[in-house]
DNA sequence: GGATTAACATGAAATACATTCATGAGATCG
DNA sequence: CGATCTCATGAATGTATTTCATGTTAATCC
């Protein structure tokens, strides 16, 4: 009798459209697939009609489903904006968000995320702390940065009043030439790197997962060659000058075009994790939590093959 | 961390503004005052600021409160509209709502309610079945009306697949001249009517609560005089030609201007109740439930001193 | 054509959450 | 200064959402 529609349902419907499947939508919302299934069932029962076709991929919505999507499209941004306004009214927000980055590829997703953020929080001073620092958390302590994007969290930092907000996890794959002997392998181990030239970004060793997690533990030291640009690394690999290890999402395009080949590293794959870390006090700021959740969402929707943490 | 705001909260905030107090807002929403208090407390905790000033009457909202109100003002109508659109998509609604009325004063609130309805459901054919019928439910059975506004429900009808949707309750007071001996009484009983002329609308006896509930049971029969217009009745009373019994809300204006006086009927007052009745099938239609809830709301906000059933 | 993987559905159990109940405190009014 | 009104609050209740543990279906792959 009485409408059971809540913002929650609108968020679900929108996530469903963006994510393209119940499973992915559930990850986006930090819920289980089952929860969404129940939610949607309840809605469909209330309206007496299905909201979307289950079989088709990509998901197709019915007319009532589209109408709900349209509603979500106007309502949810309005709600977000109102809540940001209230944050501003309550604590005249005029803070800063200086972001320290330790990994090269981060820029690929950080830029679009920052653009969205700038639009949502125009009065917050947004910056990237340039250069690559071996210890980005140190920059926070020195108050030269507000937020650091890091790949592992030092347990020692966690105690020091530093919060780690999980972002996402991505697979790091070995990139080899198409005609390489390794290209057809199911996966390769540390020993398979021996004799190769490793092509990397020009950053300290500790910041390269392939070294820190695989080669150094195995006691292997390789010839190195470095370059700033991902395309340049791929060009070197393609022309047989060496092997690289890069995030899968960063090279997906080239793989689809068969420019180079990717091989899993280790039997279960090598994964990089990313966290946003800041002092506990900063964690409280509404724009900080907004930045984190917005970044997670935009990365999940943009970067292929990543999973949220 | 995560926003707890739901449509429910927006409805609460809006009801609070419209009703002017937690208690009245709770009646509007079919909730207890306590529920709203808890809801608002949770919101204020989340935003870290009060939403309204508790002491002042009429209620004053703070800046965050106003911002939420503004949000509710854009969001809730959009949600309503979307749900109506979905109803239309699912079951191409093109029904009719022919309303049979048994009481005279009903027009005062029915007209504005119908105006709102017409705007919300333009494709539904809206009509009043004119004339005053002793048995409006009969009109439904004959399919000459879809909805009847009645003051008591016949138990015999309830079985026959007729639904009764409670609307509201109002007090019926005796209207006497200011200089009448009765004017100063705390309340008057059936015996106090003896010897007076009863001024009524020109309708059958069964439809007058004062007769049905008070005078007839006491075996009292009075001289009668009738007129169509409420003002005319008051004029007669004021000039000492008789006594009337009318809904308090209908005469509130005149009482405030001390044109006539009102006296409670019976120690605990005489109350009229109104229901909207229709066949069970009609009850299902989305526009019917919308009409009922919308009418309840608009009456509650417009008519002074009524309580929802 | 099984075997495997992936996506969604579903009933029951667990959990979280909103609401009510039963008060108390504070203000207002004859 | 009771009487009445409004709102707040903690505990108890009850409902509703979510998870858990499966089942089903469809698509993909040797």
């Amino acid at each position: 009798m009485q409408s059971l529609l809540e913002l929650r349902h609108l968020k679900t419907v929108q996530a469903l459209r963006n994510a393209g499947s119940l499973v992915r939508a559930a990850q986006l919302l930090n819920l289980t697939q089952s929860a969404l299934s129940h939610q949607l069932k309840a809605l469909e029962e209330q309206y007496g009609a299905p909201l979307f076709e289950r079989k088709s991929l990509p998901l197709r919505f019915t007319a009532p489903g589209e109408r709900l999507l349209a509603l979500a499209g106007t309502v949810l941004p309005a709600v977000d904006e109102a809540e940001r306004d209230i944050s501003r009214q309550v604590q005249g927000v005029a803070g800063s968000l200086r972001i320290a980055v330790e990994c090269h590829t981060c820029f690929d997703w950080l830029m679009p995320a920052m653009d969205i953020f700038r639009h949502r929080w125009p009065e917050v001073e947004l910056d990237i702390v340039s250069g690559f620092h071996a210890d980005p958390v140190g920059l926070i302590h020195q108050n030269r940065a507000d937020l650091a994007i890091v790949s592992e969290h030092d347990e020692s930092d966690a105690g020091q009043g530093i919060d780690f907000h999980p972002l996402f996890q991505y697979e790091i794959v070995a990139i080899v030439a198409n005609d390489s002997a390794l290209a057809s392998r199911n996966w390769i181990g540390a020993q398979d790197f021996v004799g190769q030239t490793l092509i990397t970004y020009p950053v300290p060793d500790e910041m390269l997962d392939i070294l820190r997690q695989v080669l150094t533990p195995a006691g292997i030291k390789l010839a190195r060659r470095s370059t700033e640009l991902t395309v340049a690394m791929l060009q070197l690999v393609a022309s047989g000058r060496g092997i690289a290890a890069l995030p899968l999402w960063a090279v997906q395009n080239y793989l689809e075009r068969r420019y180079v080949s990717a091989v899993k590293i280790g039997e279960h794959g090598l994964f990089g994790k990313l966290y946003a870390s800041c002092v506990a006090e900063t964690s409280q700021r509404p724009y900080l939590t907004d930045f984190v959740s917005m970044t997670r969402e935009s990365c999940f929707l943009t970067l292929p093959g990543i999973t949220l943490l």
Side-chain angles (χ1 to χ4, degrees), chain A:
Chain A
M1 209 89 192
Q2 209 167 188
S3 175
L4 110 171
L5 188 73
E6 286 290 353
L7 292 181
R8 164 165 31 98
H9 302 284
L10 295 182
K11 288 178 189 153
T12 295
V13 175
Q14 196 171 63
L16 185 57
R17 197 253 314 266
N18 291 339
S21 83
L22 277 191
V23 182
R24 276 173 55 89
Q27 293 184 62
L28 208 49
L29 298 168
N30 284 319
L31 288 171
T32 61
Q33 169 266 126
S34 178
L36 301 198
S37 182
H38 282 297
Q39 270 187 24
L40 292 165
K41 187 185 164 188
L43 280 185
E44 295 182 326
E45 224 149 84
Q46 157 138 139
Y47 296 128
L51 296 177
F52 63 100
E53 295 166 20
R54 276 101 219 286
K55 44 212 67 180
S56 68
L57 233 112
L59 222 43
R60 271 247 308 271
F61 286 83
T62 64
E66 286 289 354
R67 187 64 187 83
L68 274 190
L69 266 178
L71 178 67
T74 69
V75 162
L76 295 179
V79 171
D80 276 2
E81 200 182 322
E83 294 208 299
R84 289 197 300 278
D85 282 347
I86 291 174
S87 289
R88 287 188 265 264
Q89 289 170 343
V90 172
Q91 31 174 320
V93 187
S96 66
L97 189 61
R98 295 161 298 174
I99 306 175
V101 188
E102 103 182 352
C103 84
H104 243 78
T105 45
C106 289
F107 281 97
D108 288 4
W109 52 262
L110 197 50
M111 288 303 168
M114 286 174 70
D115 287 342
I116 299 173
F117 182 84
R118 226 186 311 269
H119 186 250
R120 290 164 70 100
W121 299 91
E123 67 285 294
V124 173
E125 206 181 303
L126 186 62
D127 253 317
I128 286 207
V129 180
S130 60
F132 294 89
H133 309 271
D135 176 27
V137 176
L139 291 177
I140 294 181
H141 279 128
Q142 299 167 232
N143 193 27
R144 290 173 54 200
D146 301 297
L147 189 76
I149 308 295
V150 299
S151 61
E152 283 290 325
H153 46 240
D154 236 330
E155 290 309 324
S156 65
D157 288 324
Q160 310 275 7
I162 298 280
D163 285 350
F164 288 87
H165 305 273
L167 293 175
F168 57 88
Q169 186 181 57
Y170 55 91
E171 182 169 4
I172 299 167
V173 290
I175 307 296
V176 298
N178 288 330
D179 57 6
S180 155
L182 297 177
S184 59
R185 292 279 294 280
N186 223 343
W187 60 274
I188 62 178
Q191 296 306 324
D192 297 305
F193 283 81
V194 174
Q196 301 266 5
T197 297
L198 186 66
I199 299 166
T200 68
Y201 294 109
V203 295
D205 285 10
E206 320 82 272
M207 288 162 58
L208 294 168
D209 288 281
I210 181 67
L211 289 175
R212 205 179 55 224
Q213 292 190 51
V214 179
L215 299 177
T216 308
I220 296 170
K221 223 165 180 320
L222 300 184
R224 291 274 291 284
R225 184 154 175 188
S226 68
T227 172
E228 288 274 354
L229 295 169
T230 308
V231 260
M233 295 173 65
L234 294 178
Q235 196 278 322
L236 288 170
V237 168
S239 58
R241 317 285 181 79
I243 187 170
L246 289 169
L248 179 55
W249 61 259
V251 296
Q252 193 88 291
N253 277 336
Y254 302 97
L255 295 177
E256 278 162 12
R257 291 189 228 130
R258 310 217 171 272
Y259 183 55
V260 288
S261 297
V263 192
K264 193 162 64 175
I265 299 171
E267 189 168 1
H268 303 292
L270 173 62
F271 292 90
K273 299 175 185 183
L274 286 177
Y275 302 83
S277 60
C278 60
V279 295
E281 189 207 348
T282 307
S283 289
Q284 313 277 48
R285 309 254 180 123
Y287 65 79
L288 192 284
T289 61
D290 191 49
F291 177 81
V292 170
S293 66
M294 186 270 297
T295 298
R296 282 167 51 95
E297 175 169 338
S298 92
C299 287
F300 183 70
L301 294 177
T302 309
L303 308 180
I306 73 167
T307 64
L308 295 175
L309 288 172

